[in-house]
């Protein structure tokens, strides 16, 4: 018998912070988005305050003390490491996993008919909780769409586990359409106009009919709700196809220098990642996001991007910057304030698959220099050496007022015990 | 029928035709402290000691402890626990029906579970790493000052062959031998 499971960590970012700071236990905690903008992960105590979802931080600031709310800036280095730990534990216990996001993973079980999925789920959950300190919920069903629903139900039980019964219709009849994986609010309205009120109505419908009137994905969703797998095994951990790096500024800016410095800095960071994966990029996409203006006249927000191709695939940011630097002015819109810039390295290929170019004599110097820079930065901490063009003070860098330490990835930031 | 080119491909790299390393089949993977100190890497965390409560157990400020969360807590284990939101390293003790945290330093009183203090166990300490910080004032030690000279080893004298062969050998080396 084949069963699909879905493991989903509860309030993942908040849970990660709590592992290393027990004083956050039992009180409202929110992890803020990049640049300390809005709340992206909230503890159950925070949710109980019934504030609007994704409420911006500046609106909460005044009441934070009175409500006893603790804030944390997002610390993706820590969350990434904790996520790897959870996924590794799961991987060692099941046949096949399909990591779906930083805190969710599908897994596939091939088991005898008398296998107790619920009991197995408890074992997985207990181990993840004990080894990492992160609580999670697990749902079991015949298909991914049903597993997602089972997981959702499981989260509201004390054990955190739910196994979808063979006949899921009684449960689906009580489930609103928007709770089904892949059905947006807009799509749900359309379906409601056609007389579908619950997920059960959708499961009873004919997938051919849906396919005719909507699309293949929704038809597949119907098949999945009926208990037949339609979404195939999809390896989300395939080779990296692009490397993107973008951040918001602390304040919107019209300074060309800031845009310039930030692009160079992000390229350096993206290229470091590229080199660690032993890959080369053949082009780079630069872009800047501009804010909407309401002061003198109303101007819509928007972005401006430009693609720069390299004469040959590169991995060192020194050569990259040399090539794209004159093109930066193309994405600068005069008299508009940018709130975010970013770079995307595209057309990645493996270092070893590279065909040497006959006409460009390969200059080994920049590659050797960047390798040395990587080594120094690895040994003495990030930003020990960098290009002057990346800026020294970087006042434009995002706000991270409540950043916790990188407890698991940096020897200088370990948890301290008395 | 497809016509295949029979040209030999031009190799861009020269072939390394040296004598293979005699150690080739004996090389194992490099030693990994992580693996030595704990059973499960994904349950292993490192923490730094900041207090002197465990000096009696040989744990000093600045030491790095390896913590394995996969191990079940047992009486006598050195553990990391949080007491009212602060992390501490102590012995976990169970005696006369009471569980408590005990320091290895007489200046610290035991901390009991189930009192007003909020005590939670975090993980079992499985190892210790201490890096010797020699600082900058390193004085080089003169070899003659600390290490006594050994008497020189007397070379053993013996003869190879009868001298005639030796001559042949030299000739061959200089390329003047018979071709």
């Amino acid at each position: 018998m084949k069963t699909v499971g879905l493991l989903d960590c509860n309030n993942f970012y908040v849970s990660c912070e709590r592992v290393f700071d027990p004083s956050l236990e039992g009180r409202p905690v929110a992890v803020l988005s990049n640049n300390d903008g809005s709340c992206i992960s909230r503890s159950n105590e925070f949710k109980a305050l019934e504030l609007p979802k994704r409420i911006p931080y500046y609106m909460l600031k005044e009441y934070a003390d009175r409500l006893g709310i603790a804030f944390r800036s997002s610390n993706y280095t820590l969350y990434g490491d904790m996520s790897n730990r959870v996924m590794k534990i799961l991987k060692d216990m099941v046949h096949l996993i399909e990591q779906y996001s930083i805190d969710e993973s599908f897994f596939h079980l091939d088991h005898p008919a008398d296998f107790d999925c619920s009991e197995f789920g408890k074992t997985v959950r207990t181990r993840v909780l004990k080894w990492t300190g992160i609580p999670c919920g697990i749902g079991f069903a015949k298909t991914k769409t049903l597993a997602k629903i089972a997981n959702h139900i499981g989260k509201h039980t004390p054990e955190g586990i739910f196994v979808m019964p063979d006949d899921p219709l009684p449960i689906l009849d009580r489930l609103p359409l928007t709770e089904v994986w892949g059905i947006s609010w807009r799509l749900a309205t359309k379906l409601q106009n056609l007389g579908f009120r619950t997920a059960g109505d959708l499961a009873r419908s004919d997938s051919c009919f849906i396919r005719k009137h909507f699309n293949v994905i929704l038809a597949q969703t119907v098949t999945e709700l009926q208990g037949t797998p339609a979404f195939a095994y999809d390896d989300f951990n395939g080779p990296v196809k692009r490397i993107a790096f973008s951040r918001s500024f602390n304040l919107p800016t019209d300074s060309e220098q800031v845009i310039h410095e930030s692009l160079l800095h992000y390229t350096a960071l993206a290229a470091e990642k590229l080199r660690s994966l032993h890959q080369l990029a053949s082009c780079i996409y630069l872009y800047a996001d501009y804010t909407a203006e309401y002061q003198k006249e109303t101007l819509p927000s928007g972005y401006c991007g430009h693609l720069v191709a390299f004469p040959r695939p590169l991995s060192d940011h020194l050569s990259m910057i040399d090539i794209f630097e004159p093109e930066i002015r193309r994405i600068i819109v005069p008299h508009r304030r940018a709130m975010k810039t970013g770079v995307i390295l595209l057309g990645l290929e493996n270092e070893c698959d590279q065909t040497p170019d006959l006409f460009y004599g390969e200059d080994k110097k920049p590659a050797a220099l960047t390798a040395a820079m990587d080594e120094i930065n690895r040994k003495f901490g990030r930003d020990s050496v960098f290009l002057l063009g990346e800026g020294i003070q970087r006042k434009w860098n995002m706000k991270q007022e409540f950043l916790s330490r990188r407890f698991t990835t940096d020897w200088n930031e370990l948890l301290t015990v008395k | 029928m497809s016509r295949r080119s029979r040209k030999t491909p031009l190799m861009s790299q020269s072939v390394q035709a040296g004598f293979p390393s005699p150690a080739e089949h004996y090389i194992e993977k490099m030693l990994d402290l992580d693996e030595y100190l704990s059973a499960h890497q994904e349950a292993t965390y490192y923490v730094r000691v900041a207090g002197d409560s465990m000096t009696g157990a040989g744990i000093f400020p600045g030491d790095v402890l390896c913590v394995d969360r996969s191990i079940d807590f047992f009486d006598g284990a050195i553990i990391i626990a949080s007491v009212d939101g602060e992390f501490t390293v102590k012995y976990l003790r169970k005696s006369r029906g009471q569980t408590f945290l005990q320091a290895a330093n007489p200046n610290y009183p035991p901390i009991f579970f189930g009192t007003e203090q909020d005590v939670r166990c975090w993980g079992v300490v499985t190892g210790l790493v201490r890096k010797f910080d020699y600082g900058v004032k390193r004085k080089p030690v003169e070899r003659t000052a600390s290490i006594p000279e050994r008497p020189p080893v007397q070379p053993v004298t013996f003869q190879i062959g009868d001298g005639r062969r030796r001559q042949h050998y030299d000739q061959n080396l200089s390329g003047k031998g018979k071709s």
Side-chain angles (χ1 to χ4, degrees):
Chain A
M1 249 175 93
K2 285 197 167 123
T3 301
V4 182
L6 176 67
L7 178 142
D8 185 5
C9 302
N10 302 352
N11 315 329
F12 183 60
Y13 299 167
V14 168
S15 299
C16 288
E17 296 287 350
R18 277 182 169 168
V19 172
F20 298 96
D21 187 354
S23 72
L24 299 177
E25 215 64 65
R27 58 186 284 201
V29 184
V31 171
L32 302 171
S33 61
N34 277 339
N35 208 16
D36 292 350
S38 56
C39 305
I40 45 169
S41 177
R42 303 161 302 146
S43 70
N44 289 344
E45 295 83 358
F46 190 100
K47 286 174 186 166
L49 296 174
E50 293 192 336
L51 298 160
K53 244 186 174 184
R54 292 192 75 102
I55 184 167
Y57 164 63
Y58 74 89
M59 285 174 75
L60 272 173
K61 218 171 179 175
E62 302 165 44
Y63 311 103
D65 277 344
R66 204 170 348 131
L67 297 170
I69 303 174
F71 292 103
R72 286 288 178 273
S73 303
S74 34
N75 181 349
Y76 286 108
T77 319
L78 178 68
Y79 310 152
D81 181 76
M82 294 308 282
S83 166
N84 286 346
R85 288 169 188 263
V86 173
M87 298 309 163
K88 178 95 199 306
I89 294 167
L90 180 64
K91 207 174 193 168
D92 288 348
M93 298 179 82
V94 299
H95 302 300
L96 193 62
I97 78 164
E98 254 178 280
Q99 193 176 343
Y100 177 60
S101 71
I102 192 165
D103 60 346
E104 282 175 285
S105 182
F106 288 108
F107 55 94
H108 301 263
L109 292 173
D110 201 349
H111 58 82
D114 58 345
F115 183 79
D116 190 348
C117 282
S118 175
E119 205 53 47
F120 175 74
K122 272 179 206 157
T123 320
V124 175
R125 191 180 185 275
T126 316
R127 182 176 287 188
V128 170
L129 184 63
K130 178 154 171 45
W131 291 22
T132 66
I134 290 169
C136 64
I138 303 175
F140 293 93
K142 290 240 171 58
T143 68
K144 285 185 188 173
T145 307
L146 289 172
K148 194 103 179 162
I149 295 166
N151 178 281
H152 196 78
I153 299 168
K155 270 200 174 172
H156 297 281
T157 64
E159 304 90 45
I161 315 285
F162 187 77
V163 183
M164 190 62 87
D166 285 336
D167 177 23
L169 280 177
I171 289 164
L172 295 181
D173 278 336
R174 279 180 282 133
L175 201 72
L177 284 167
T178 46
E179 296 284 312
V180 178
W181 192 27
I183 295 190
S184 64
W185 175 81
R186 195 182 295 176
L187 186 56
T189 323
K190 254 191 201 172
L191 286 164
Q192 268 156 7
N193 291 340
L194 280 171
F196 295 100
R197 286 187 327 281
T198 63
D201 292 342
L202 201 58
R204 282 192 190 87
S205 71
D206 179 22
S207 70
C208 293
F209 169 82
I210 295 289
R211 189 175 179 152
K212 222 180 202 170
H213 288 82
F214 292 92
N215 54 38
V216 185
I217 307 287
L218 191 61
Q220 283 176 326
T221 305
V222 169
T223 319
E224 287 244 320
L225 285 174
Q226 290 162 349
T228 314
F231 296 128
Y233 171 76
D234 191 0
D235 192 359
F236 294 93
N237 308 321
V240 188
K241 293 191 183 83
R242 54 169 63 184
I243 294 172
F245 205 100
S246 71
R247 288 279 184 277
S248 309
F249 298 133
N250 55 352
L251 293 166
T253 177
D254 59 355
S255 152
E256 279 189 32
Q257 195 197 340
V258 169
I259 295 177
H260 201 107
E261 279 181 4
S262 63
L263 285 173
L264 261 53
H265 184 53
Y266 301 157
T267 308
L269 293 169
E272 192 185 332
K273 169 103 191 186
L274 183 75
R275 290 191 291 272
S276 73
L277 297 169
H278 301 286
Q279 293 204 308
L280 302 163
S282 36
C283 46
I284 188 167
Y285 185 72
L286 313 166
Y287 67 93
D289 273 351
Y290 292 91
T291 66
E293 301 286 353
Y294 304 103
Q295 291 294 326
K296 287 174 205 153
E297 46 183 332
T298 308
L299 296 165
S301 62
Y303 78 100
C304 188
H306 182 61
L307 187 81
V308 184
F310 305 136
R312 62 190 165 81
L314 293 170
S315 69
D316 69 285
H317 56 283
L318 306 176
S319 315
M320 287 180 192
I321 289 168
D322 271 349
I323 294 160
F324 77 67
E325 213 170 7
E327 311 278 337
I328 291 179
R329 62 189 163 75
R330 283 169 181 261
I331 65 160
I332 293 174
V333 182
H335 315 301
R336 288 297 299 268
R337 294 180 304 151
M339 56 181 179
K340 182 184 190 177
T341 57
V343 299
I344 306 172
L345 295 173
L346 295 155
L348 306 193
E349 50 184 84
N350 283 331
E351 231 168 41
C352 47
D353 299 341
Q354 196 211 359
T355 356
D357 197 306
L358 191 60
F359 301 106
Y360 284 90
E362 203 177 334
D363 187 5
K364 294 238 163 66
K365 270 185 199 160
L369 183 56
T370 43
M373 285 169 78
D374 286 351
E375 190 66 37
I376 292 169
N377 285 335
R378 197 159 37 236
K379 247 184 196 159
F380 299 100
R382 188 165 273 183
D383 261 354
S384 298
V385 284
F386 55 88
L387 303 177
L388 196 58
E390 294 176 44
I392 298 168
Q393 292 191 313
R394 293 188 206 135
K395 284 190 178 148
W396 42 265
N397 234 330
M398 58 176 182
K399 273 185 286 183
Q400 290 188 310
E401 252 181 85
F402 316 100
L403 188 63
S404 50
R405 287 185 276 171
R406 291 172 292 176
F407 296 106
T408 53
T409 49
D410 193 314
W411 288 114
N412 299 315
E413 300 187 15
L414 296 181
L415 187 74
T416 37
V417 298
K418 292 219 167 128
Chain B
M1 209 179 98
S2 71
R3 283 196 295 169
R4 277 231 200 107
S5 163
R6 285 194 179 271
K7 275 183 190 165
T8 318
L10 187 68
M11 302 301 273
S12 59
Q13 281 180 329
S14 59
V15 180
Q16 300 283 326
F19 183 71
S21 165
E24 200 173 15
H25 296 293
Y26 296 89
I27 295 172
E28 294 175 9
K29 64 182 165 63
M30 282 161 86
L31 293 178
D32 178 8
L33 265 183
D34 228 40
E35 184 197 77
Y36 175 67
L37 294 173
S38 77
H40 299 280
Q41 213 184 0
E42 55 274 26
T44 303
Y45 303 81
Y46 291 97
V47 301
R48 196 175 292 277
V49 181
D52 60 353
S53 66
M54 289 297 277
T55 46
I59 298 172
F60 292 92
D63 285 355
V64 169
L65 301 178
C66 177
V67 186
D68 190 341
R69 284 187 62 133
S70 70
I71 296 175
D72 290 327
F73 297 100
F74 57 93
D75 179 29
I78 296 177
I79 68 156
I80 302 294
S82 74
V83 180
D84 289 337
E86 262 202 29
F87 283 107
T88 179
V89 52
K90 296 282 180 295
Y91 279 115
L92 179 67
R93 296 281 189 210
K94 215 173 172 182
S95 121
R96 294 191 205 108
Q98 270 188 315
T99 314
F100 57 98
L101 298 175
Q102 191 184 42
N105 181 337
N107 298 335
Y108 292 83
I111 301 161
F112 289 93
F113 284 74
T115 57
E116 283 146 50
Q117 280 180 309
D118 178 31
V119 189
R120 292 157 196 248
C121 296
W122 199 83
V124 176
V125 176
T126 55
L128 180 148
V129 185
R130 183 174 304 150
K131 198 165 150 179
F132 297 127
D133 186 14
Y134 290 112
V136 279
K137 292 182 208 157
R138 273 182 263 186
K139 273 190 196 156
V141 179
E142 295 290 324
R143 189 174 178 273
T144 45
S146 62
I147 304 163
E149 280 286 323
R150 275 210 211 154
V153 179
Q154 290 296 320
V156 187
T157 48
F158 56 87
Q159 235 178 342
I160 306 167
D162 57 350
R164 250 179 76 210
R165 281 208 177 163
R166 174 85 186 165
Q167 204 181 356
H168 270 282
Y169 181 64
D170 286 346
Q171 273 176 354
N172 278 341
L173 267 186
S174 60
K176 284 176 196 159
K178 54 177 182 177
S179 55

